[in-house]
Amino acid sequence: MNPKNTLICALAAALLSVSASVSSFAADAKSLYERLGGHAAVVAVVDDFTANVGADARINKYFAKSDMVRVKAKLVEQVGSATGGPEKYTGRSMKETHATMGVTDADFTALVEDLVKTLNKFKVPMKEQGELLAILGSLKPEIVTK
Ligand code: HEM
């Protein structure tokens, strides 16, 4: 093989090995949804979290007349799709849903505390807790109106 072809072969081999390691890295990078444990884990978190909210005297009045079966189902869809799962969110927008409630900053913090209680109970690692809270925290401007 002439030196030019040898160089081309070496470059091609190097490129192949880089692309193989990039794709195996991509295959290793699991979505937050997978790291949380998939659909069953999201359902369990939503169940426990909404039970905490229902028992939380700071905010449970908001939910007094709500259909909690629906709210739970919509939360599973929302958390599932926002974390990379196959679920599709079919509920109302966050703005529309919470528009007339007058949710305050303190209410929002209380709800996040109820969620963190659940995440700690299920031993969700800090990294995944942080990622989930960042996703949900980004919705705050659409939910807090007072
Ligand atoms: C990141 C925080 C929050 C998320 C992701 C969230 C998400 C949702 C979703 C998906 C629904 C169901 C929407 C539908 O029925 O189509 C819902 C309903 C509801 N949310 Fe939130 N919410 C958040 C914070 C809060 C806070 C802080 C409060 C008040 C303390 C609140 C009060 C309610 C109530 C009362 C309903 C039921 C509305 C009804 O009965 O029609 N939410 N929320």
Side-chain angles (χ1 to χ4, degrees):
M1 208 183 280
N2 73 32
K4 196 174 156 203
N5 285 349
T6 308
L7 180 65
I8 289 170
C9 274
L11 278 175
L15 262 178
L16 269 178
S17 99
V18 167
S19 79
S21 62
V22 166
S23 63
S24 80
F25 174 77
D28 283 348
K30 287 194 174 160
S31 66
L32 176 56
Y33 180 80
E34 288 174 284
R35 284 177 282 133
L36 288 172
H39 185 79
V42 172
V43 170
V45 163
V46 167
D47 264 349
D48 192 80
F49 155 60
T50 49
N52 288 344
V53 170
D56 187 340
R58 296 173 296 177
I59 53 174
N60 59 8
K61 61 181 183 298
Y62 284 98
F63 297 87
K65 290 183 182 154
S66 298
D67 172 356
M68 290 313 287
V69 172
R70 177 191 163 91
V71 173
K72 283 199 248 183
K74 297 303 159 198
L75 279 170
V76 168
E77 290 176 2
Q78 189 185 33
V79 171
S81 81
T83 56
E87 291 84 354
K88 295 271 172 289
Y89 181 61
T90 62
R92 293 167 291 158
S93 74
M94 290 298 94
K95 220 172 185 132
E96 187 189 352
T97 302
H98 303 92
T100 59
M101 290 179 196
V103 174
T104 65
D105 223 88
D107 295 331
F108 192 89
T109 302
L111 180 129
V112 169
E113 284 173 10
D114 291 339
L115 174 60
V116 169
K117 209 167 153 185
T118 294
L119 298 176
N120 286 333
K121 179 174 164 183
F122 287 115
K123 303 201 170 6
V124 173
M126 282 302 142
K127 179 176 190 290
E128 281 70 26
Q129 290 202 21
E131 288 178 41
L132 183 60
L133 294 179
I135 292 171
L136 298 179
S138 73
L139 302 171
K140 187 175 169 183
E142 294 162 46
I143 293 166
V144 171
T145 55
K146 217 165 128 188

